[in-house]
Amino acid sequence: MTASGDTLIEARDLVKDYPMGESVYHALRGVSLTVRRGEFIAIMGPSGSGKSTLLHLIGCLDTPTSGEYVLAGSPVHTLAPDQLAELRNKEIGFVFQTFFLLPRANAAENVELPLIYAKIPPAQRHHMAMEALEFLGLQTHAAHRPNQLSGGQRQQIAIARALVNKPSLILADEPTGNLDSKTSENIMGLLVRLNQMGNTLILVTHEPDIAAYAPRQVRIRDGLIVSDELVGASGKGGGS
Amino acid sequence: MSAATRKEQLYGFWGSVAELFRIALRAIMGSKMRSFLTTLGIIIGVLAVVAVVSILQGVFQSFLGQFEALGANTLFIRPNYEMFSDRREGVRRLKLTYDDAQAVAQQVPDVRAIAPMLFRSDSIAFRSRHDTTTIVGTTEAYGPISDVNMETGRFLGPMDVDSRRKVCVIGHDILDKLALPDQCLGTEIQIGRDTYTVIGVVEKLGGAFGESDDDRIYVPLTTAIQQYGNDAANQLILLVQVRDAAHMDSAVERISNVLRRQHGLKFGQTDDFRTFTQEEVLKQIKTFTNVSTLIVVAIVGITLVVGGIGIMNIMLVSVTERTREIGIRMAVGAKRIHVLYQFLIESVTLSTLGGVIGLGAGWGVSLLTVWILRKTVSPTFPAAYVPLWVILLSLGFAALTGAVFGVYPAVKASRLDPIEALRYE
Ligand SMILES: Nc1ncnc2c1ncn2[C@@H]1O[C@H](COP(=O)(O)OP(=O)(O)O)[C@@H](O)[C@H]1O
Ligand SMILES: [Mg+2]
């Protein structure tokens, strides 16, 4: 399943500085990372170490202060905001800790959201959204609004939204951070399944047992990668 | 491969606009009360304009109708009351008489016919019914000049005038006013202290304003002079029909010369009478209409600017409140232009809806106003009339206001940084 040597991500010396009044805060101090298609990576580290900052750069939500970043052949560090938006729309699906669903839209409409900006006509859009919901077994909840759903269901809707545009890369920032341990296991099982189906997956977490699902673990501290190791087939993902 | 199929699926600019319009409607309907209050400025602005314009236009239209009915080959002449600052002095000193009419008819070959008219308001009665109306003393010439159509009976004839007969031709409203029987020809009615025989009923004209032409009784001029005395006979209005509308100007000049001679006016003295042609009157009405339209447009402009500031204010609040939503949309691929259009279309939709509500409410207010005026001022007050241009103008202005005042909030929304927008609490 990881036989492909096809490179998806090539990041070199990524630096991200935040101006803090007079001084500058160095959130990332030179991060290099290569990711092949089909990989499942966990980025670990203590709070404030720069995990989210790195994930935002990888996800084209932000651009680095310096360094080079190539995603699926596109030199992201040179792109303008609208080109970044297009890249996010085509290549990336996000899953966030707090779900980030539109409160006034129902589940199906939330899942359709990326397709609107991909200019897919309404009927087909709805069809694709329903397919994604069906895959997650949530088709009966299509008309529910986020506040009528449990935390786990909300995160599943968010995952459906991340999947619906068939992106090259799924990025998850602490996806289980707001869920109880039982629900967390379900969500992680789902993510593992997505990876097994061929999706490239990068997961940010500070919890070791969540990181343990991933075969490749990258540790980050104070804006620098301190270790990047293949732990082989994950204990939880394959074992239990 | 999936990129290729996606390209075929593009559904174009209007598809995207429809999409954003749906999003806008959802946001607007999501907080109805607030949307309503936001557009209140625009609603009131459009309401006021539509109410005022529709009532004015109703009056103008019936006014225009009256003078268009006059015909391009007719003019009328009345004493020049404007010579005196006090109209009563004009009434005392000015004269326009039957002799003047005769002189014009005889000396100006361009004149085909001339009908002198004596206007008086008088009481009328039939059996136990009493009322008042306008009495018009005139000659047989009035019928053809004014193109009077009879419902029953006949108009005044030369014998009626020559023999000072006590006969009358009644306007359609008089039938109701006096509750006359269906077969009213030959019926005797009271006008002032005298008794007149009804010889004809004029077809319903409708549509006139203030006092309607249907609310009139025509009697022979000679009989009217006998009844109302010489003072009334000296204050006639002359209705003149010329042979050829193309020679109206020269006809007016010749008529003026005859009347100046009749009145002994010297060179340099101003005319003590005024002539009105249909063309002139229409021009005056139109000028007045244009000026009032301009004033109305200016008022719309001002109110809508005020309304627009209201919209901008709420749109700014809305952008702030929905920062998170904007962040989510950007994260899944919305470009700046998508966010910009989303908020712009929302403010245009909001203001246009305000315009539509204002239009409806304004129409309601003008109907109510006309109803009240008919109950209090005059039962024949003309119906309100909303010209298409007023609808287009108010909706256009409302939409434009939304667009102009929506730009700043929309640009602000589109310039948000996706990460900061997502982090916004
Ligand atoms: N927009 C910003 N402005 C200033 N500092 C920031 C900003 N975003 C993140 N930081 C700082 O950068 C550091 C790394 O943040 P983050 O990547 O969110 O950490 P993590 O996700 O590992 O907890 C933190 O100390 C945080 O305060
Ligand atoms: Mg974080």
Side-chain angles (χ1 to χ4, degrees):
Chain A
M1 58 178 181
T2 53
S4 162
D6 192 2
T7 304
L8 180 62
I9 287 175
E10 187 77 66
R12 205 165 299 286
D13 295 325
L14 293 183
V15 170
K16 185 70 191 178
D17 293 340
Y18 291 115
M20 297 280 282
E22 303 274 291
S23 64
V24 169
Y25 184 83
H26 306 287
L28 293 179
R29 297 158 185 270
V31 169
S32 298
L33 190 70
T34 305
V35 179
R36 282 173 292 118
R37 285 190 191 272
E39 275 198 284
F40 178 6
I41 303 177
I43 298 176
M44 302 166 63
S47 180
S49 55
K51 305 184 293 296
S52 293
T53 305
L54 178 59
L55 200 74
H56 293 156
L57 291 183
I58 291 172
C60 307
L61 279 170
D62 211 351
T63 44
T65 309
S66 70
E68 291 177 9
Y69 172 39
V70 178
L71 169 69
S74 301
V76 177
H77 56 284
T78 66
L79 298 182
D82 278 352
Q83 294 170 303
L84 294 176
E86 203 168 324
L87 211 52
R88 290 197 292 274
N89 186 247
K90 285 207 180 101
E91 306 289 357
I92 294 159
F94 288 102
V95 180
F96 296 99
Q97 177 174 358
T98 50
F99 323 133
F100 285 156
L101 300 173
L102 297 184
R104 274 203 285 251
N106 66 29
E109 289 162 339
N110 266 293
V111 176
E112 280 180 43
L113 202 58
L115 304 176
I116 292 180
Y117 300 110
K119 299 192 174 173
I120 292 173
Q124 191 179 353
R125 214 160 65 202
H126 187 71
H127 180 73
M128 289 169 77
M130 289 310 289
E131 265 181 358
L133 286 173
E134 250 166 67
F135 172 72
L136 297 173
L138 277 173
Q139 66 275 23
T140 52
H141 293 71
H144 289 51
R145 291 190 178 194
N147 61 5
Q148 298 167 314
L149 298 168
S150 72
Q153 286 170 327
R154 285 186 219 185
Q155 195 59 299
Q156 282 176 289
I157 301 296
I159 290 171
R161 182 180 65 190
L163 285 176
V164 74
N165 219 12
K166 310 207 166 27
S168 313
L169 181 60
I170 294 173
L171 302 178
D173 193 348
E174 312 264 12
T176 59
N178 273 19
L179 304 174
D180 60 54
S181 55
K182 181 88 178 38
T183 317
S184 296
E185 266 177 46
N186 288 339
I187 293 293
M188 287 316 297
L190 178 58
L191 291 177
V192 167
R193 204 164 121 224
L194 290 178
N195 175 242
Q196 283 166 350
M197 290 167 65
N199 291 291
T200 314
L201 190 61
I202 299 180
L203 167 77
V204 158
T205 184
H206 65 274
E207 295 175 73
D209 50 331
I210 294 296
Y213 284 89
R216 180 177 167 194
Q217 297 179 352
V218 175
R219 280 172 204 281
I220 185 169
R221 187 180 290 272
D222 295 334
L224 282 172
I225 290 180
V226 291
S227 76
D228 182 348
E229 39 188 29
L230 271 173
V231 295
S234 107
K236 287 201 179 177
S240 75
Chain B
M1 55 169 194
S2 88
T5 42
R6 269 180 208 166
K7 272 212 182 89
E8 291 165 13
Q9 292 156 356
L10 290 184
Y11 66 118
F13 175 75
W14 290 109
S16 316
V17 169
E19 199 68 58
L20 293 171
F21 183 69
R22 270 215 303 248
I23 296 173
L25 272 187
R26 180 195 289 264
I28 290 167
M29 292 308 167
S31 42
K32 289 193 190 67
M33 194 60 192
R34 172 157 130 188
S35 300
F36 175 73
L37 292 175
T38 304
T39 53
L40 206 54
I42 286 184
I43 292 175
I44 290 171
V46 171
L47 184 156
V49 166
V50 170
V52 170
V53 171
S54 64
I55 292 169
L56 280 182
Q57 281 289 322
V59 172
F60 288 148
Q61 290 300 318
S62 77
F63 216 35
L64 279 176
Q66 262 182 331
F67 283 98
E68 265 161 4
L70 198 61
N73 60 348
T74 49
L75 72 147
F76 66 89
I77 308 165
R78 65 159 169 78
N80 184 8
Y81 297 114
E82 288 82 359
M83 278 174 76
F84 301 94
S85 53
D86 183 0
R87 190 185 163 96
R88 275 169 306 180
E89 197 179 349
V91 171
R92 206 166 56 238
R93 301 208 350 213
L94 294 175
K95 282 185 179 174
L96 196 58
T97 63
Y98 187 69
D99 284 348
D100 292 335
Q102 295 289 93
V104 167
Q106 282 159 16
Q107 295 173 36
V108 183
D110 289 333
V111 171
R112 175 184 285 156
I114 183 162
M117 297 187 287
L118 184 161
F119 282 88
R120 258 299 154 100
S121 186
D122 207 346
S123 60
I124 52 174
F126 175 69
R127 295 192 182 138
S128 58
R129 295 283 281 235
H130 295 263
D131 215 318
T132 59
T133 190
T134 304
I135 309 300
V136 183
T138 188
T139 66
E140 71 280 4
Y142 181 88
I145 297 179
S146 266
D147 198 17
V148 171
N149 291 314
M150 302 304 294
E151 185 168 293
T152 52
R154 61 174 180 86
F155 195 70
L156 302 169
M159 290 294 284
D160 302 318
V161 181
D162 290 347
S163 326
R164 283 187 219 159
R165 284 186 180 152
K166 290 206 184 307
V167 293
C168 64
V169 175
I170 60 174
H172 209 272
D173 288 356
I174 305 299
L175 290 175
D176 275 352
K177 270 191 158 180
L178 292 183
L180 292 172
D182 286 345
Q183 304 292 323
C184 65
L185 295 184
T187 310
E188 302 208 314
I189 63 170
Q190 291 287 125
I191 300 177
R193 273 161 290 127
D194 272 328
T195 305
Y196 287 72
T197 308
V198 176
I199 59 166
V201 181
V202 178
E203 241 178 40
K204 189 162 183 60
L205 302 166
F209 94 105
E211 73 188 57
S212 152
D213 279 1
D214 289 319
D215 186 9
R216 277 185 174 185
I217 296 180
Y218 301 94
V219 300
L221 178 68
T222 46
T223 320
I225 290 174
Q226 187 180 37
Q227 180 157 348
Y228 300 117
N230 280 330
D231 281 354
N234 286 338
Q235 303 279 321
L236 300 182
I237 291 174
L238 308 183
L239 182 62
V240 183
Q241 184 175 46
V242 299
R243 290 183 199 282
D244 187 353
H247 299 145
M248 181 57 96
D249 290 348
S250 62
V252 168
E253 196 173 328
R254 287 198 192 114
I255 292 168
S256 296
N257 287 336
V258 169
L259 288 176
R260 287 181 67 88
R261 227 176 302 136
Q262 281 286 114
H263 293 181
L265 295 179
K266 295 194 185 71
F267 182 79
Q269 276 185 296
T270 49
D271 290 348
D272 61 355
F273 55 89
R274 282 188 72 180
T275 60
F276 297 86
T277 61
Q278 182 208 39
E279 197 188 351
E280 271 174 342
V281 173
L282 290 184
K283 222 191 298 178
Q284 278 181 16
I285 294 175
K286 277 175 184 152
T287 309
F288 183 53
T289 313
N290 289 345
V291 169
S292 35
T293 303
L294 218 65
I295 294 170
V296 162
V297 169
I299 296 170
V300 188
I302 294 165
T303 35
L304 289 188
V305 166
V306 175
I309 291 169
I311 291 219
M312 179 158 82
N313 214 346
I314 295 298
M315 287 308 294
L316 282 173
V317 172
S318 177
V319 167
T320 307
E321 281 180 351
R322 286 150 70 192
T323 300
R324 186 57 85 67
E325 173 191 327
I326 296 165
I328 293 170
R329 288 181 183 278
M330 286 177 159
V332 301
K335 293 182 184 175
R336 289 184 164 180
I337 197 83
H338 293 130
V339 176
L340 187 125
Y341 277 156
Q342 179 186 332
F343 282 92
L344 202 54
I345 287 177
E346 185 172 324
S347 79
V348 170
T349 306
L350 198 58
S351 62
T352 308
L353 279 179
V356 170
I357 295 174
L359 210 56
W363 177 234
V365 166
S366 62
L367 288 182
L368 188 72
T369 309
V370 167
W371 184 80
I372 292 171
L373 286 174
R374 281 182 178 172
K375 291 275 171 211
T376 55
V377 177
S378 158
T380 54
F381 196 89
Y385 169 72
V386 183
L388 185 64
W389 65 262
V390 169
I391 297 174
L392 297 180
L393 189 87
S394 1
L395 291 186
F397 261 119
L400 188 70
T401 306
V404 168
F405 288 89
V407 166
Y408 176 62
V411 165
K412 219 181 146 190
S414 73
R415 289 285 164 86
L416 285 173
D417 177 72
I419 305 267
E420 275 165 27
L422 282 175
R423 282 228 184 96
Y424 185 83
E425 292 299 327

